[in-house]
């Protein structure tokens, strides 16, 4: 749908003012720069110096002792500082960070482009629907893939440092937590893309009747 400029003749109002749209565009661009710089810095640190990480541990191997009131408990994570990471887990964590950043950039890019289209009064177009759908796919795939790689890397490190020792005949333990947020948000964006496409077709049919 092509949103026309508000005027006394049409009586239409702007959804987002030009100043607000420009502010959103600048904020999205700055957030992309800051988060990308932080990701690059974190990736370099994985290969160059001491790294402090929270590692998941197998609860069956890490029970808390010395608790009062006959309480029992177990550790689910361990914060550890490792002087030099092994190359395998370091690469896995690096790729995880990069994929997570790709997911963040997908959202920021979508925010930037939608703000740009809103200030230009053009929103419900085929290109807008494609942009929203692409952002949803990238967010879901990159977000979930990044979590899997992060879980693999941290679990491997937990085993290497001895937090998850394996006994004879035991299989490798893979303790990790996954957030389904990126997947759900990606699916939601795909539905929004479908709404955009429906709105575009409806507007086109309406214009054909006028």
């Amino acid at each position: 749908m092509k949103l026309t400029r508000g005027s006394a003749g049409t009586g239409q109002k702007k959804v987002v003012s030009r100043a607000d749209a420009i502010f959103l565009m600048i904020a999205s661009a700055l957030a992309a720069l800051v988060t990308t710089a932080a990701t690059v810095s974190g990736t370099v640190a994985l290969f160059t110096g001491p790294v402090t990480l929270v590692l998941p541990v197998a609860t069956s191997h890490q029970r808390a002792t010395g608790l009062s009131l006959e309480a029992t408990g177990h550790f689910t994570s361990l914060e550890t500082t490792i002087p030099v990471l092994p190359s395998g887990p370091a690469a896995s964590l690096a790729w995880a960070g990069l994929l997570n950043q790709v997911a963040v950039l997908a959202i920021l890019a979508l925010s930037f482009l939608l703000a740009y289209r809103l200030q230009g009064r053009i929103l419900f177009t085929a290109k807008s629907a494609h942009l929203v759908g692409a952002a949803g796919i990238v967010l879901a795939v990159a977000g979930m893939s990044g979590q899997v790689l992060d879980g693999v890397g941290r679990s491997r490190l937990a085993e290497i440092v001895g937090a998850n020792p394996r006994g004879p005949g035991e299989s490798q333990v893979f303790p990790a937590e996954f957030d389904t947020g990126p997947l759900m948000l990606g699916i939601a964006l795909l539905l929004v893309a479908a709404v955009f496409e429906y709105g575009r077709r409806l507007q086109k049919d309406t214009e054909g009747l006028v």
Side-chain angles (χ1 to χ4, degrees):
M1 182 174 72
K2 193 169 184 178
L3 303 179
T4 57
R5 299 178 182 273
S7 62
T10 61
Q12 294 182 346
K13 297 181 180 180
K14 300 176 182 178
V15 177
V16 176
S17 68
R18 184 178 181 83
D20 291 339
I22 292 176
F23 172 79
L24 290 174
M25 293 164 63
I26 293 175
S28 298
L30 287 177
L33 290 175
V34 171
T35 55
T36 299
T39 299
V40 171
S41 176
T43 301
V44 172
L46 291 173
F47 295 96
T48 58
V51 181
T52 300
L53 297 170
V54 176
L55 304 179
V57 299
T59 57
S60 61
H61 292 160
Q62 298 291 342
R63 296 189 178 277
T65 59
L67 301 179
S68 302
L69 301 178
E70 300 182 358
T72 59
H74 56 262
F75 299 106
T76 59
S77 63
L78 173 69
E79 183 175 300
T80 180
T81 299
I82 304 174
V84 179
L85 292 182
S87 59
S92 181
L93 293 175
W95 277 108
L98 292 176
L99 287 173
N100 288 333
Q101 179 60 17
V102 168
V104 171
L105 290 178
I107 294 298
L108 293 175
L110 180 61
S111 300
F112 182 95
L113 293 172
L114 290 182
Y116 173 78
R117 287 185 168 273
L118 277 173
Q119 65 89 25
R121 287 77 165 180
I122 301 175
L123 185 58
F124 289 120
T125 65
K127 186 174 291 186
S128 293
H130 294 159
L131 290 174
V132 175
I137 294 174
V138 171
L139 174 61
V141 174
M144 296 308 296
S145 298
Q147 290 189 66
V148 171
L149 288 175
D150 184 81
V152 170
R154 292 176 189 268
S155 295
R156 179 57 181 152
L157 282 174
E159 185 179 0
I160 291 175
V161 302
N164 286 331
R166 280 192 290 175
E170 288 185 341
S171 59
Q172 182 174 353
V173 180
F174 184 70
E177 295 183 1
F178 296 98
D179 181 11
T180 58
L183 179 61
M184 296 298 99
L185 184 54
I187 294 175
L189 287 178
L190 288 176
L191 294 177
V192 172
V195 172
F196 271 54
E197 180 63 19
Y198 176 76
R200 183 186 70 85
R201 293 181 180 181
L202 184 63
Q203 177 65 20
K204 184 176 180 181
D205 294 341
T206 303
E207 290 174 351
L209 296 175
V210 176

